[in-house]
Amino acid sequence: MLYLVGLGLHDEKDVTVRGMEAIKGSERVYLEAYTSILGVGKERLDAFYGKDIVVADRDMVEMDSDEILRDADKVDVAFLVVGDPFGATTHADLLLRADALSIPYTVIHNASVMNAVGALGLALYNYGQTVSIPFFTDSWRPDSWLERVRENMRLGLHTLCLLDIKVKEQSEENLARGRKIYEPPRYMSVPTAISQLLSLLEDSSPSASSDSSPSLASADSLDPSTTLAISASRVGAPSQRFVAGTLAELSELDEEAFGGPLHSFVIVGRRFHALERDFAGRWAVDRERWNEVSNTVYAVRD
Amino acid sequence: MLYLVGLGLHDEKDVTVRGMEAIKGSERVYLEAYTSILGVGKERLDAFYGKDIVVADRDMVEMDSDEILRDADKVDVAFLVVGDPFGATTHADLLLRADALSIPYTVIHNASVMNAVGALGLALYNYGQTVSIPFFTDSWRPDSWLERVRENMRLGLHTLCLLDIKVKEQSEENLARGRKIYEPPRYMSVPTAISQLLSLLEDSSPSASSDSSPSLASADSLDPSTTLAISASRVGAPSQRFVAGTLAELSELDEEAFGGPLHSFVIVGRRFHALERDFAGRWAVDRERWNEVSNTVYAVRD
């Protein structure tokens, strides 16, 4: 049996009891280590689960899945994924290959940021599509995610923005020369993400900074001074931190205000209610401003 | 400390290790029992966690939260929620009241159907807003959710449809007479949900059954013979079952094809890819038809 086990959000104790039993009973245990990270290292997992876990990078999962699946029709093998096994990527490839080899599989679910973001207090029903914000490079400023945010905003929906993770990336030179030398991991912070967002907004609308009446702004204008957002750092960890404010307010904070990775944030849509305003208002940079924008621009009624 | 503990999807072993520690260390343990159900009864939880859990219905949580929060500034109290604590409802009310009483709280997340639906193989990034389909009554056919499905479809997004649960409901007569006599619980099945959907579509479009070319249908037409859907029953349980097909195909199956509650289903949007088609195709009522609709109407390219 192949067990796909979600590890949840933070450390070795976020696995489910069912998941831990599957890990302890497995002959080999792999940890998928390229779409997210836990707040603790592999050693903590090894000690707690009593296993010597093999860290599987993208190359291994995509190119060497036969090794992962070896004998899994006879013995139990566990494949661990941070969050839920179907969160950042579906691993459908691996499961279809298991199927083709007549290897049965069982999925053991867990929390992922996709549902744990509910802790911000905004009803999960009112979220639209989730977007992933990639790092800008010198020559490439990807912006397709911004149109998806606007699509959500037009419907009054919130947008969960997940931020880029670069793990085991090679520099162009090392890639060209076939040298397996990797850059240090990079995790996008909320200030970086918002500054990229603001720079795209400036590109698309030279009058974005005009002082037109905020309450008349169209739903998808994303005016930084009247668009509310809530950041969520290290969701599910003891050091979890939420910060609420306008995009402009969040962009002015330095990285320390959010702490270490992983960061994500939510852009608040118009389907926003008084209880949600009050719940998230506890994390506001400036509560008065938070309430004012909520009540005027977002038309929240008590 | 007040612990809000997600129990996950199916039984007593779906709690996380962290969650179980919090439950075992708590002086009082409540189970929120009105927005979802586990696949097992309270007795199994009592035995496994070593606690006599108090089942809290909506009245208790909303009207008598002071009892739940009593002394939680001095002792630990656990409030258990099926799935994730912020899944079906945010419990923001309870947490704000805890705050007002200076009671600290900790959330222990878990899987909910909102993220575990990823097991169908469709990328979670391409889901729009989630809808909840309520039971029709003799005098009321709520349809606002249908417009939300259409909003998603126009953007090419998938829609997770959660189905109504009626627990501890009173008949109109018993309600009027103030008699605390409750109807047996009712859980909407996929065939009921789809028949309600099809009847609303007939209302709104008398020509819905015309034989116009399916590939020319607009993105939000929801033509039953060319709109793909995947049902998900008892997600996360050993008896979990997925069924894929057109809305028309799923509507023709009887309830046994889906098994017992809880049921949900996903209406597939146009952001649908070959790997997803092949992954979900394994559960197709008629795989040839599944592939044909995927390739022609949904324009899936290999």
Side-chain angles (χ1 to χ4, degrees):
Chain A
M1 175 73 77
L2 172 69
Y3 286 100
L4 245 80
V5 182
L7 293 185
L9 295 162
H10 171 61
D11 73 11
E12 70 278 10
K13 290 189 177 179
D14 286 324
V15 73
T16 66
V17 173
R18 179 181 311 285
M20 194 163 69
E21 288 180 357
I23 297 169
K24 284 182 182 284
S26 287
E27 195 146 300
R28 301 195 311 282
V29 181
Y30 298 91
L31 171 64
E32 189 262 64
Y34 55 91
T35 54
S36 191
I37 52 159
L38 281 181
V40 298
K42 157 184 140 57
E43 301 68 30
R44 283 271 289 275
L45 304 186
D46 283 350
F48 193 72
Y49 305 149
K51 294 283 170 183
D52 183 16
I53 298 170
V54 177
V55 174
D57 61 17
R58 191 185 297 268
D59 281 355
M60 180 169 192
V61 176
E62 291 178 0
M63 320 286 279
D64 201 16
S65 64
D66 286 352
E67 171 54 23
I68 294 172
L69 297 174
R70 177 173 53 83
D71 295 335
D73 51 341
K74 305 188 211 58
V75 301
D76 288 344
V77 173
F79 183 79
L80 315 186
V81 182
V82 175
D84 184 75
F86 291 86
T89 172
T90 62
H91 295 293
D93 247 340
L94 181 68
L95 296 181
L96 286 177
R97 276 179 278 181
D99 248 18
L101 297 167
S102 301
I103 294 169
Y105 67 84
T106 295
V107 176
I108 300 178
H109 289 288
N110 210 320
S112 63
V113 69
M114 305 288 258
N115 72 329
V117 70
L120 296 178
L122 304 178
L124 286 178
Y125 287 87
N126 291 332
Y127 280 77
Q129 56 199 317
T130 296
V131 304
S132 196
I133 304 184
F135 276 116
F136 283 178
T137 68
D138 292 343
S139 56
W140 191 49
R141 295 157 47 89
D143 63 357
S144 61
W145 56 273
L146 183 57
E147 180 50 30
R148 298 188 169 194
V149 176
R150 290 193 200 276
E151 288 171 348
N152 289 339
M153 294 296 276
R154 280 178 215 126
L155 298 174
L157 300 172
H158 317 307
T159 307
L160 170 61
C161 302
L162 301 178
L163 308 189
D164 205 357
I165 295 175
K166 295 277 188 203
V167 179
K168 259 195 143 177
E169 299 274 323
Q170 289 162 280
S171 68
E172 280 183 34
E173 190 187 340
N174 285 327
L175 191 65
R177 293 171 185 261
R179 291 191 297 222
K180 296 217 168 204
I181 299 171
Y182 302 101
E183 302 299 302
R186 292 168 68 207
Y187 306 101
M188 190 186 287
S189 68
V190 169
T192 300
I194 295 185
S195 78
Q196 291 193 180
L197 167 62
L198 299 187
S199 96
L200 290 176
L201 292 174
E202 277 166 26
D203 292 355
S204 62
S205 148
S207 63
S209 59
S210 77
D211 58 357
S212 61
S213 166
S215 60
L216 294 176
S218 69
D220 66 349
S221 79
L222 288 166
D223 183 324
S225 63
T226 59
T227 301
L228 298 177
I230 313 171
S231 75
S233 315
R234 301 171 306 287
V235 176
S239 65
Q240 163 183 288
R241 199 177 306 160
F242 302 150
V243 184
T246 63
L247 286 173
E249 284 173 339
L250 295 188
S251 75
E252 282 157 17
L253 300 175
D254 58 24
E255 306 219 346
E256 275 130 59
F258 307 96
L262 301 174
H263 291 186
S264 58
F265 71 101
V266 171
I267 299 176
V268 180
R270 303 290 167 116
R271 287 195 204 153
F272 183 50
H273 303 105
L275 183 61
E276 298 173 323
R277 174 200 61 201
D278 296 342
F279 193 78
R282 296 176 298 154
W283 310 304
V285 176
D286 175 346
R287 186 143 194 183
E288 205 173 310
R289 176 90 185 125
W290 174 264
N291 286 336
E292 185 199 330
V293 173
S294 298
N295 297 343
T296 57
V297 183
Y298 283 75
V300 171
R301 293 284 162 268
D302 282 292
Chain B
M1 175 73 77
L2 172 68
Y3 287 100
L4 246 79
V5 183
L7 293 185
L9 296 161
H10 171 61
D11 73 11
E12 70 278 10
K13 289 189 177 179
D14 287 323
V15 73
T16 65
V17 172
R18 179 181 311 284
M20 193 162 71
E21 288 179 356
I23 297 170
K24 284 182 183 285
S26 286
E27 195 146 301
R28 300 195 313 283
V29 182
Y30 298 90
L31 170 64
E32 189 263 61
Y34 55 91
T35 53
S36 190
I37 52 160
L38 282 181
V40 299
K42 158 184 139 57
E43 302 68 30
R44 283 270 289 275
L45 304 186
D46 283 349
F48 192 71
Y49 305 148
K51 293 284 169 182
D52 183 17
I53 299 170
V54 176
V55 174
D57 60 18
R58 189 185 298 268
D59 281 355
M60 180 170 191
V61 176
E62 292 179 359
M63 320 286 278
D64 201 15
S65 64
D66 285 351
E67 171 54 23
I68 294 171
L69 297 174
R70 177 171 52 83
D71 295 334
D73 50 342
K74 306 188 213 50
V75 301
D76 288 345
V77 172
F79 184 79
L80 315 186
V81 182
V82 175
D84 184 75
F86 291 87
T89 173
T90 62
H91 295 292
D93 247 338
L94 182 68
L95 297 180
L96 285 177
R97 274 179 279 180
D99 249 18
L101 297 166
S102 301
I103 294 168
Y105 67 84
T106 294
V107 176
I108 300 178
H109 288 289
N110 209 319
S112 63
V113 67
M114 305 288 257
N115 72 330
V117 70
L120 297 177
L122 304 178
L124 286 179
Y125 288 86
N126 291 331
Y127 280 77
Q129 55 199 317
T130 297
V131 304
S132 196
I133 304 185
F135 277 115
F136 282 179
T137 68
D138 292 342
S139 56
W140 191 48
R141 294 157 49 88
D143 63 357
S144 60
W145 57 272
L146 183 57
E147 179 52 28
R148 299 188 168 193
V149 175
R150 290 193 200 277
E151 288 171 349
N152 289 338
M153 294 297 277
R154 280 177 214 126
L155 297 174
L157 300 172
H158 317 307
T159 307
L160 170 60
C161 302
L162 302 178
L163 308 189
D164 205 356
I165 294 175
K166 294 280 189 201
V167 180
K168 259 195 140 178
E169 297 275 322
Q170 289 162 281
S171 67
E172 280 183 35
E173 191 187 338
N174 285 327
L175 191 64
R177 291 169 186 264
R179 291 191 297 221
K180 297 218 166 203
I181 299 171
Y182 301 101
E183 303 299 299
R186 292 168 68 207
Y187 305 101
M188 190 186 287
S189 67
V190 169
T192 299
I194 295 184
S195 79
Q196 290 192 181
L197 167 61
L198 298 186
S199 95
L200 290 176
L201 293 174
E202 277 166 27
D203 293 355
S204 63
S205 148
S207 63
S209 59
S210 78
D211 59 358
S212 62
S213 166
S215 60
L216 294 176
S218 70
D220 67 347
S221 78
L222 288 167
D223 183 325
S225 63
T226 59
T227 300
L228 298 177
I230 314 172
S231 76
S233 315
R234 301 172 307 287
V235 175
S239 65
Q240 163 182 287
R241 197 178 306 160
F242 302 151
V243 184
T246 63
L247 287 173
E249 284 172 339
L250 294 189
S251 75
E252 283 158 16
L253 299 174
D254 58 25
E255 305 218 349
E256 275 131 59
F258 306 95
L262 301 176
H263 290 187
S264 58
F265 71 101
V266 171
I267 300 176
V268 180
R270 302 290 166 112
R271 288 195 203 153
F272 184 49
H273 302 104
L275 183 62
E276 297 173 323
R277 174 199 63 200
D278 296 344
F279 193 77
R282 296 176 298 153
W283 309 304
V285 176
D286 175 344
R287 186 144 192 182
E288 205 172 309
R289 175 91 186 126
W290 174 262
N291 286 336
E292 185 198 329
V293 173
S294 297
N295 298 342
T296 57
V297 183
Y298 282 75
V300 171
R301 295 283 163 268
D302 282 292

